[in-house]
Amino acid sequence: MTDVRVSPTLDAEGRRLDGSGRGAALGHWWGLNRWWITRIAVLPVHILVFAVIAFFLVRAVPGDPVLTILGGSVQYTQEDYDRVQQALGLNGTIGEQLGRYLWQTVQLDLGTSLYTGRSVAGELAQRIPETLELALIALVATVAVALAAAAVVVLRPRSWFARLLRLYSRMAGAVPQFILAVAFIFVFYATLHWVPAPIGRTDPKTPPIETVTGFPLLDALLTGNLEAFGSTVAHLVLPVVVMVLATTDLLLKILIASLEKAIDAPPTLFRAATGASRGTLLLSAYRRALPPMVTMSGVVFGHLLGGAVILEALFGLGAMGGYALEAVNTKDMVALQGFLLVSAVISLILFLVVDLVNMALDPRRRPGVHVGDA
Amino acid sequence: MRTTTGPAAIRRRLLGAGGLVAAAALALAGCSSGTAPTDDSSSTAGDARDELVVATSALPSTFNYDGGTGSGAENEELSRNTMAALIKNVVEVNETSGLPEQNLYEFEGELAESYDVSDDGLVYTFHLRDGVLSQAGNPLDADDVLWSYERKWLAPTATNKSLNNPVITDPLSQFQKIDDLTVSVTIAAEGQGHLLLSLMANNTGYIYDSDLLKEHVTAEDPYAVQWSMENANHGFGAYTVDSFTPGQELILAANPNWYAGELPIQKVTYRVVADPGTRANMVASGDADIAESIRPVDRADLAQTEGVKVTDFAFTNLLVSLGMLTNRAPFDDETVRQAFAYAVPYQSIIDNVYMGAAARRVGFLSPTLPGYSEDSYPDYEYDPDKALELLAEAGVTTPVAFTLTVPNWLPDLEDAAVQIQSYAADAGFDVAINKVSLADYNAGGPAATFDAMLRRNYAIVQSPTYVLNLLFNPDNGHTRWVSEEYRSIIAEANAQSDALAPETVDLWLEAERLRLEEMPLTVIAAVPQLNAFRADVQGHVNRSDNAIQFSNLSIGAE
Amino acid sequence: MAATTAAPAIRVRSVQWGRALRLGLPLIPVLLLVIVAVFGPAWVPYDPERIVAPPYRAPGGEHWFGTDSNGMDIFSRTLAATRLNVVVATITALAATLGGMVLGLTIGMGESASGVWGVLFRGIARILDLFEAVPAVVIALVVVAFSGTSIPSLVLVLSIVLMSTQARLVRTEVLAVRNEAFVDAARMTGQSEAGLTIRHVLPHSAMPAMENAPVVFGQAVILTASLGFLGVGLPPPTPEWGAMIAQGAADAAVGRWWPATFPSIALILAVVIVAFLIPRLLRGRRGRSQG
């Protein structure tokens, strides 16, 4: 229940009712904007906490990375062992290593991979936009499909199509992405040859995409490389379709439920009673149904990022997902902790954006307004 | 009358918009899928016929293995194509297979124009070619050779030097610069000459561009190892790394400074395709020219597919072997080990895992060794009764339980383990399979934590000393098998003046026979290279490092 | 008069039968699943972990679903895998729900405490949120690296990863229920915090988590299969749907559809049955189910 706190001298935003007080203007500004400032300010703290967690989590994994490296060549001596350990920066106490790690992280240096010797931050910086682009495209497509499908279900509830969609929405999460991916590769590539081979983002013959922003499709457009653009679209069709099919049901379920609720809500009924057109009614219902959907979109986006781990392997898109898999397989502690940190940051920023959007849409959700605590 | 507002109209508009988007996507997909796959055998996966597309399971992890992590087939292949050594094996057309294969006992010049041997067989003098430029444009000289070997020994993370035992132990004293284009190497025993040449012709003998690397030396990185791991093109090889997108794509371009002149293949594009079935499919449909690391069953199918070929070399050194840990139960008992050697279904593995394309092998010595004979060897075949008999003799309770470790990136080894598990059950063994990641596999062997492990190994240096010692380092070999007798036989053979003379060969055979008796490890089969090529890709040479050397390839009539 | 009173009675009975049927119908697949999970391994025609035939036999004849790359019977393996996947997922759902309830309760009740405890609990709540930040698969991969790949450790991994959702659901409810009047009343009658938590708060906050349990089941099945697909599942040749699908994926790419198809169908059926039909069953009691 949202109760607005009642106080004899302060108003709902904490300002003095009689408008007096030192820094009243500043306090006023603070009161209005507190909700997003605090949310953003708290973000670095969360990131730091997660960085420490990632450090310990990864180090607690059994196995000795020095041996991993030495074991690859069948013969080595104790001297070799010590030298490799030093070269990898794994010497010193845990405290020293933690200190070094945190200091470097603050400077945006995530260390060098134990396995490849390349900068972790550099590689992630290159791979993140690729995965993000894929997930964003899938998200946009998913949202579009969900919005359209929800419209059908709500407007024509008894049609067979609507019933099919309802059934589909209830299957939320029942079909894992990898099964869909395998099936689609089998049907659409191996059998029908409708899509190009899952050999990466572009056909090897197309001119390479120059990096401008790091987002492949965007860069292709920006540099006028239409051949590569088309090739990338063609290669992304199947993975995007898989992702959309696998996650639309989640969104659809929420959307249908909140749409139905919104349609029955008093404001909508009032509008209907005062003669608004069906189109206007629908739009206003959609607006009311938005917040839960925005939140769910955040979850869906996280879902899509997670699904990328497997899908990228299957379609040869080798970005973030491929990096994580390789780091786990090679027990590359530095790469793994960098990956964990970066994905946490992405998700945290995502939650932040979702929260901010929701709070912007619906002032009742802002933290300055008092909620329920007696 | 159609309304322009209202839900029906909205729906129409949405559907219309959706339809447009879908149509646009498909249209783009259609007109720019470029390699419209055809079943036509002359399809054009790599355009202009001097470019190749390779579907691979993984890309190299790093550009230089002196950082310690550069082992693995992809790294070997990259080094082979971007680096060069002083000498190389002579390539001849093999009588049995009709295909070009290395002659393991004869060498010719690569970066060196020629080499000669002193009368006492202890000094090898290499005459470098004049006017050879590195990929970065620096001239080749004796300093490059000396500095390269210095780095291989003294860089902190370089761990391959012990592979050169016993012939190269201290390059700083053994290698001498005679003049700018002449280097001499002094060895301790005449009989080690073949080993020396084999080592210098292969991956431990690559020559670096010391002028370039010295520019990037720092206090923390005195040999520019770190720098070279991230920056390719620091050698004298046939190809340069043109672009590298980790986990996705690697492009090699022909090196204009290559000493042998212009190359038929000008560009090689590697793409990572994680699924082995898809890789095989791509060669069949022409989307790729070469597929690497395919499954044996797909290789067998592709051998029958029009427009595709697989290479059936006369001899491969790709050996599948099972090593047992000899310093703890149950394999600390020699009789139990021998029993297990009778419990492995060798032929079933060859037939069902490798589809008959593998050859039964029992030892590490190459059958091409002059005077090679297995007559003195004990004869191990799948014989469950014999196994049970031996177990009873050893007095152990059956079934004997142990864990067999397999790598998680080689599906054929996993399949072989399943075969072993099923069949060894009838021979008194209860096998549990443990599939491990690369890190665990590499660490567990030296740490002696695995009861038994399956390996698919190849000895790049096909010299008897090397192959007999490779898997049996007493300190960190995965079997921890120590035999003074074995070592002394090998030492004696090393001291002979001719490594390939009949008396010496007898010694090598005796060492192998001893290992077969004590059975710390059973060799199962020699398996074929698991690659497939489009039929018009010519020139692939059978190499002991099993890499595809693109400087040998050309595209021509099938 | 008699005619009009007799007719409604018959109609009521047929309505009752119709309702019973509608309620009972979802029960059948659930029961089937349980039966297969329990008795499946005993009824299989071939040993699911032994080589029984040449590899790559197409479905038909002696092997209804064909044989896989090793020569094991796919029908037997698919059936046998049911027990493993279902049992693992059930235990996981239970553990995650119970654990989530404990966690959610503790955090929810403890969050408002002052001083160190309050900060601690609020911190843990935040960490739970952070857990959602990393893809479940990656967390699972990292934890598997610790615990190895046996059935107990697999259940542990899955429970840890899936517990956070349940905990959050419970915590949200606890935060709301905490301020209800009856809780204050209980406090005033001298009940200890622990006692009133269990006796009053718990029953009112457990519902969402319990309703979500079938979904957790589905997630557990899929996560197990995903791990198996990535090659870090149970040791081969343990029959498990994900690993079977992974092996079959390479075959599907070259046109052999059967090694991957049958376990996929089994997996989807199992998830749909539990995550979809069981809630339907439960809601059926309350009348018409809602989308």
Side-chain angles (χ1 to χ4, degrees):
Chain A
M1 297 204 356
T2 52
D3 266 277
V4 177
R5 187 200 279 150
V6 170
S7 151
T9 49
L10 299 177
D11 71 2
E13 267 144 294
R15 291 168 291 183
R16 301 192 80 104
L17 279 171
D18 59 4
S20 68
R22 246 180 317 177
L26 185 63
H28 177 73
W29 179 85
W30 172 251
L32 278 182
N33 293 299
R34 189 174 125 181
W35 57 282
W36 58 266
I37 294 179
T38 44
R39 273 306 261 112
I40 293 183
V42 124
L43 188 65
V45 176
H46 287 167
I47 295 179
L48 194 67
V49 169
F50 201 89
V52 176
I53 295 178
F55 176 88
F56 283 109
L57 187 68
V58 151
R59 260 164 193 65
V61 170
D64 183 349
V66 182
L67 268 188
T68 303
I69 285 173
L70 289 176
S73 61
V74 284
Q75 318 194 339
Y76 67 91
T77 67
Q78 181 58 41
E79 206 185 40
D80 291 328
Y81 185 93
D82 291 334
R83 278 194 282 184
V84 174
Q85 190 185 46
Q86 168 134 59
L88 293 179
L90 291 175
N91 51 340
T93 66
I94 282 286
E96 284 171 15
Q97 292 183 38
L98 178 61
R100 245 178 292 160
Y101 163 66
L102 286 176
W103 178 234
Q104 282 177 327
T105 307
V106 166
Q107 299 173 327
L108 293 184
D109 170 12
L110 294 172
T112 48
S113 157
L114 295 180
Y115 185 63
T116 66
R118 291 190 288 267
S119 151
V120 172
E123 253 191 282
L124 285 176
Q126 186 228 321
R127 290 177 192 238
I128 289 171
E130 297 178 352
T131 303
L132 274 184
E133 186 182 71
L134 182 63
L136 275 172
I137 295 176
L139 181 67
V140 168
T142 303
V143 167
V145 170
L147 285 175
V152 170
V153 169
V154 161
L155 294 174
R156 287 271 181 277
R158 271 178 290 277
S159 75
W160 63 269
F161 195 38
R163 259 190 269 230
L164 195 66
L165 286 173
R166 261 190 203 275
L167 191 68
Y168 168 65
S169 80
R170 271 184 254 152
M171 299 246 296
V175 182
Q177 294 191 24
F178 66 87
I179 290 186
L180 277 178
V182 170
F184 278 33
I185 292 183
F186 170 63
V187 171
F188 294 107
Y189 170 64
T191 315
L192 293 173
H193 289 292
W194 281 3
V195 289
I199 196 178
R201 266 189 179 68
T202 56
D203 183 84
K205 280 190 312 173
T206 57
I209 302 175
E210 286 162 42
T211 312
V212 176
T213 58
F215 292 94
L217 271 177
L218 191 59
D219 284 346
L221 269 181
L222 289 176
T223 56
N225 191 346
L226 289 178
E227 203 186 323
F229 182 81
S231 182
T232 309
V233 169
H235 283 87
L236 288 184
V237 164
L238 215 52
V240 169
V241 166
V242 167
M243 290 167 112
V244 167
L245 271 181
T247 39
T248 303
D249 44 10
L250 282 175
L251 211 51
L252 192 58
K253 191 160 150 181
I254 301 273
L255 195 54
I256 292 178
S258 56
L259 255 186
E260 289 181 336
K261 207 166 100 180
I263 285 178
D264 286 334
T268 324
L269 295 174
F270 177 74
R271 283 196 182 212
T274 53
S277 70
R278 287 196 80 185
T280 326
L281 280 180
L282 190 63
L283 281 175
S284 89
Y286 264 109
R287 251 199 61 211
R288 200 164 301 282
L290 270 183
M293 203 194 81
V294 170
T295 316
M296 199 57 186
S297 301
V299 172
V300 162
F301 191 65
H303 219 73
L304 292 172
L305 280 180
V309 172
I310 292 179
L311 285 185
E312 283 176 359
L314 282 174
F315 288 99
L317 303 173
M320 290 279 280
Y323 197 74
L325 278 180
E326 194 180 87
V328 170
N329 259 331
T330 56
K331 293 253 174 82
D332 188 341
M333 287 195 293
V334 180
L336 199 54
Q337 78 199 10
F339 173 83
L340 286 175
L341 186 59
V342 167
S343 28
V345 168
I346 293 179
S347 299
L348 285 174
I349 294 182
L350 180 69
F351 292 163
L352 183 69
V353 167
V354 165
D355 275 351
L356 289 179
V357 167
N358 267 344
M359 287 196 265
L361 280 178
D362 182 358
R364 292 174 302 171
R365 290 166 187 258
R366 300 180 196 183
V369 178
H370 288 281
V371 256
D373 269 295
Chain B
M1 184 184 66
R2 288 188 123 207
T3 52
T4 51
T5 57
I10 293 179
R11 205 168 3 123
R12 267 201 309 278
R13 274 187 237 142
L14 280 174
L15 283 175
L20 270 177
V21 171
L26 275 176
L28 277 172
C31 64
S32 38
S33 64
T35 57
T38 62
D39 303 289
D40 178 9
S41 56
S42 61
S43 72
T44 54
D47 216 28
R49 302 328 269 148
D50 62 357
E51 299 180 1
L52 290 176
V53 174
V54 182
T56 182
S57 61
L59 288 181
S61 56
T62 175
F63 295 131
N64 192 288
Y65 56 69
D66 285 336
T69 57
S71 63
E74 312 85 41
N75 289 303
E76 293 294 353
E77 191 164 277
L78 178 72
S79 326
R80 177 65 277 180
N81 285 297
T82 56
M83 293 282 175
L86 289 182
I87 51 174
K88 60 181 178 183
N89 289 88
V90 169
V91 173
E92 299 164 339
V93 175
N94 182 283
E95 288 163 358
T96 325
S97 66
L99 297 167
E101 308 201 21
Q102 278 180 331
N103 180 325
L104 299 172
Y105 310 103
E106 279 181 36
F107 302 85
E108 60 186 6
E110 190 166 73
L111 289 179
E113 200 158 22
S114 64
Y115 70 95
D116 20 67
V117 192
S118 65
D119 291 326
D120 58 3
L122 296 180
V123 181
Y124 283 74
T125 311
F126 297 90
H127 306 281
L128 304 181
R129 288 180 202 270
D130 193 8
V132 175
L133 294 180
S134 73
Q135 291 156 339
N138 300 312
L140 169 71
D141 56 30
D143 290 326
D144 290 319
V145 178
L146 263 62
W147 194 82
S148 299
Y149 269 88
E150 186 188 316
R151 170 174 140 145
K152 290 179 220 265
W153 251 251
L154 298 184
T157 48
T159 48
N160 280 338
K161 56 183 191 275
S162 46
L163 292 171
N164 293 282
N165 288 343
V167 63
I168 306 179
T169 49
D170 179 23
L172 294 171
S173 62
Q174 288 176 268
F175 282 60
Q176 299 284 341
K177 169 176 171 177
I178 310 289
D179 62 44
D180 271 342
L181 291 178
T182 319
V183 176
S184 76
V185 182
T186 313
I187 60 178
E190 190 187 349
Q192 295 174 2
H194 178 245
L195 181 58
L196 175 73
L197 292 172
S198 304
L199 284 167
M200 295 195 69
N202 282 298
N203 61 345
T204 53
Y206 294 144
I207 305 299
Y208 302 131
D209 180 355
S210 64
D211 297 323
L212 175 67
L213 288 172
K214 280 184 193 164
E215 287 171 27
H216 295 275
V217 165
T218 65
E220 295 94 36
D221 195 13
Y223 288 94
V225 169
Q226 202 58 29
W227 184 88
S228 65
M229 280 168 78
E230 294 184 65
N231 296 281
N233 308 332
H234 46 267
F236 293 86
Y239 289 87
T240 56
V241 172
D242 199 31
S243 87
F244 180 56
T245 316
Q248 295 180 42
E249 177 186 75
L250 167 68
I251 300 186
L252 299 179
N255 175 14
N257 294 335
W258 177 235
Y259 82 91
E262 182 148 336
L263 294 156
I265 301 294
Q266 287 287 308
K267 177 174 163 188
V268 179
T269 306
Y270 282 93
R271 284 293 176 92
V272 173
V273 179
D275 182 60
T278 310
R279 291 199 289 276
N281 205 349
M282 284 167 67
V283 175
S285 66
D287 290 312
D289 294 299
I290 303 178
E292 297 185 341
S293 309
I294 55 179
R295 298 177 307 161
V297 60
D298 295 327
R299 182 181 176 278
D301 286 340
L302 286 175
Q304 313 289 326
T305 308
E306 208 183 300
V308 184
K309 67 183 179 193
V310 300
T311 44
D312 265 307
F313 290 124
F315 154 76
T316 74
N317 61 347
L318 286 158
L319 295 182
V320 174
S321 63
L322 192 156
M324 299 170 257
L325 190 59
T326 57
N327 64 5
R328 67 163 190 231
F331 290 123
D332 48 355
D333 184 338
E334 186 179 295
T335 320
V336 174
R337 297 198 299 267
Q338 288 168 345
F340 190 70
Y342 285 105
V344 176
Y346 303 99
Q347 198 55 43
S348 179
I349 293 176
I350 292 174
D351 293 334
N352 293 313
V353 176
Y354 296 100
M355 303 299 145
R360 175 82 176 100
R361 286 276 299 273
V362 298
F364 291 105
L365 292 173
S366 170
T368 61
L369 211 52
Y372 181 82
S373 150
E374 296 179 4
D375 292 340
S376 63
Y377 292 172
D379 194 7
Y380 291 104
E381 284 308 323
Y382 178 64
D383 190 343
D385 297 324
K386 185 94 192 260
L388 288 167
E389 212 181 281
L390 282 170
L391 285 178
E393 203 181 289
V396 293
T397 52
T398 52
V400 175
F402 72 94
T403 307
L404 177 60
T405 302
V406 296
N408 75 356
W409 66 98
L410 296 175
D412 54 313
L413 288 191
E414 188 184 328
D415 290 345
V418 173
Q419 294 275 332
I420 293 174
Q421 185 191 53
S422 272
Y423 285 96
D426 297 328
F429 288 91
D430 177 13
V431 182
I433 301 178
N434 178 26
K435 201 162 82 157
V436 295
S437 68
L438 180 70
D440 290 332
Y441 186 79
N442 279 349
T449 44
F450 299 144
D451 289 335
M453 41 190 302
L454 272 177
R455 297 185 91 94
R456 181 174 12 113
N457 226 62
Y458 50 96
I460 296 177
V461 175
Q462 282 291 308
S463 152
T465 320
Y466 188 91
V467 304
L468 288 175
N469 275 330
L470 186 62
L471 294 182
F472 297 117
N473 182 314
D475 297 320
N476 48 38
H478 63 295
T479 61
R480 290 294 200 273
W481 179 61
V482 183
S483 167
E484 274 314 307
E485 210 184 322
Y486 189 74
R487 296 170 83 64
S488 66
I489 296 176
I490 294 179
E492 193 188 325
N494 271 329
Q496 304 298 312
S497 58
D498 181 356
L500 305 174
E503 308 81 41
T504 330
V505 171
D506 282 338
L507 284 171
W508 302 126
L509 293 173
E510 173 59 21
E512 188 103 86
R513 192 203 61 77
L514 180 67
R515 193 264 309 159
L516 281 164
E517 217 178 78
E518 298 196 16
M519 196 27 80
L521 177 153
T522 176
V523 177
I524 298 175
V527 304
Q529 290 180 357
L530 296 173
N531 300 326
F533 297 77
R534 293 292 302 164
D536 57 356
V537 177
Q538 313 292 355
H540 176 49
V541 172
N542 185 15
R543 300 183 45 86
S544 61
D545 56 21
N546 295 295
I548 302 178
Q549 190 172 18
F550 296 106
S551 52
N552 294 327
L553 298 184
S554 61
I555 301 180
E558 300 167 28
Chain C
M1 271 295 141
T4 47
T5 46
I10 296 174
R11 205 169 52 235
V12 165
R13 230 179 295 141
S14 67
V15 166
Q16 280 174 334
W17 271 117
R19 260 187 100 213
L21 207 64
R22 229 183 310 129
L23 284 178
L25 214 50
L27 198 58
I28 299 178
V30 176
L31 281 180
L32 265 180
L33 183 67
V34 171
I35 292 177
V36 170
V38 171
F39 294 109
W43 290 341
V44 288
Y46 295 95
D47 187 334
E49 298 194 33
R50 284 282 176 266
I51 296 173
V52 292
Y56 299 118
R57 279 275 154 86
E62 277 184 14
H63 301 276
W64 297 348
F65 288 175
T67 62
D68 66 6
S69 61
N70 289 311
M72 300 196 225
D73 180 49
I74 295 180
F75 177 70
S76 309
R77 282 171 67 74
T78 309
L79 222 58
T82 313
R83 173 188 285 185
L84 192 134
N85 281 102
V86 167
V87 166
V88 166
T90 309
I91 300 182
T92 303
L94 286 172
T97 307
L98 282 172
M101 279 202 268
V102 168
L103 205 54
L105 269 179
T106 347
I107 295 179
M109 294 301 291
E111 253 181 90
S112 60
S114 53
V116 179
W117 283 112
V119 173
L120 182 68
F121 282 121
R122 277 193 290 279
I124 297 182
R126 273 281 159 248
I127 292 183
L128 266 186
D129 289 342
L130 287 183
F131 238 85
E132 308 273 306
V134 182
V137 182
V138 179
I139 300 183
L141 282 177
V142 174
V143 182
V144 161
F146 285 89
S147 56
T149 55
S150 61
I151 294 183
S153 53
L154 189 62
V155 171
L156 182 69
V157 172
L158 296 172
S159 308
I160 291 178
V161 172
L162 297 172
M163 198 183 298
S164 59
T165 341
Q166 297 295 67
R168 283 165 104 233
L169 280 175
V170 171
R171 171 181 165 262
T172 313
E173 284 303 304
V174 167
L175 287 180
V177 166
R178 209 171 48 171
N179 303 309
E180 295 287 334
F182 64 86
V183 173
D184 285 333
R187 213 176 266 131
M188 281 193 286
T189 62
Q191 275 217 348
S192 69
E193 281 298 300
L196 73 83
T197 308
I198 296 178
R199 222 165 297 159
H200 296 284
V201 181
L202 175 58
H204 287 87
S205 45
M207 202 28 112
M210 300 217 305
E211 284 189 334
N212 199 40
V215 175
V216 173
F217 177 96
Q219 288 175 321
V221 171
I222 291 178
L223 204 52
T224 313
S226 305
L227 287 176
F229 187 79
L230 291 173
V232 294
L234 297 160
T238 315
E240 188 271 310
W241 289 326
M244 292 172 71
I245 298 171
Q247 275 202 318
D251 291 315
V254 287
R256 273 184 293 265
W257 54 273
W258 60 96
T261 308
F262 296 108
S264 303
I265 296 177
L267 188 153
I268 297 175
L269 272 180
V271 173
V272 165
I273 285 176
V274 174
F276 174 20
L277 286 183
I278 287 187
R280 194 127 189 257
L281 255 181
L282 295 174
R283 271 196 298 250
R285 300 247 191 95
R286 296 193 233 143
R288 247 191 95 99
S289 51
Q290 296 153 6

